[in-house]
Amino acid sequence: MGRMYSKGKGISRRCLPYRKAPPSWVQISTNDLVDQMVKLAKKGATPSQIGVLLRDSHGIPQVKGITGSKILRILKVKGVAPTIPEDLYHLIKKAVNIRKHIEKFRQDKDGKFRLILVESRIHRLARYYRRVKSLPPTWRYQSKKADTLIA
């Protein structure tokens, strides 16, 4: 399957180890790990940032192997999950930055075109998240109010 807005047809993806048990060097308990994730989430870290921090500073390769469930599911149970999904948040942030750039440089035709592409991706992703009920059915992306979503 080709990409939406580029020429690539790659099938590159991550390859997780088959073994589900945590490695022998991981000595942290499930409750300590969950408490640490909740603490990081309250500081404002996204689920992927939490995973990177745990991997790099604590040597935890996969949270699911230790706790039995993924980071975002744990955060949802604890009530500290982000209100809008992370990929949608980053697309909105990109659109706000492009819009800010276009206000400064009005003649940037390529920037206007890229903004159209990013906003169409936002609408497509929002439609998916409304369908799977991650977003409320009345949620709409409005470019005028987008900077309040990422603030």
Side-chain angles (χ1 to χ4, degrees):
M1 187 85 181
R3 300 283 167 257
M4 211 175 353
Y5 299 117
S6 63
K7 293 180 281 208
K9 291 187 175 69
I11 58 167
S12 174
R13 60 179 62 94
R14 68 184 187 163
C15 183
L16 293 175
Y18 179 73
R19 220 177 84 198
K20 304 289 186 207
S24 59
W25 71 81
V26 177
Q27 299 296 326
I28 193 167
S29 70
T30 303
N31 293 332
D32 293 340
L33 183 59
V34 170
D35 292 340
Q36 207 160 23
M37 288 191 307
V38 169
K39 193 185 304 179
L40 288 170
K42 285 182 179 176
K43 284 183 182 176
T46 62
S48 61
Q49 288 172 334
I50 291 171
V52 168
L53 279 167
L54 291 175
R55 183 196 65 199
D56 293 344
S57 59
H58 300 288
I60 298 167
Q62 289 292 318
V63 170
K64 189 179 179 195
I66 298 168
T67 61
S69 58
K70 298 178 180 181
I71 295 175
L72 186 61
R73 290 186 181 158
I74 292 170
L75 296 180
K76 280 182 182 174
V77 168
K78 297 292 182 181
V80 290
T83 54
I84 61 172
E86 193 175 350
D87 50 355
L88 185 62
Y89 172 82
H90 287 294
L91 279 176
I92 291 171
K93 192 173 176 182
K94 183 183 281 192
V96 167
N97 287 337
I98 294 172
R99 192 169 288 282
K100 200 180 299 181
H101 169 79
I102 288 175
E103 286 175 11
K104 195 173 180 183
F105 303 101
R106 294 216 177 259
Q107 294 301 312
D108 188 5
K109 304 284 187 202
D110 188 57
K112 290 177 187 175
F113 177 69
R114 299 294 163 201
L115 178 65
I116 291 169
L117 295 184
V118 169
E119 286 187 340
S120 67
R121 261 183 276 169
I122 290 171
H123 291 301
R124 175 184 288 191
L125 203 55
R127 191 170 58 228
Y128 164 75
Y129 281 127
R130 281 194 302 268
R131 191 175 68 233
V132 298
K133 296 182 176 43
S134 292
L135 287 174
T138 57
W139 192 91
R140 293 282 182 271
Y141 170 75
Q142 294 155 342
S143 55
K144 303 275 189 274
K145 299 177 183 175
D147 53 347
T148 60
L149 287 173
I150 63 166

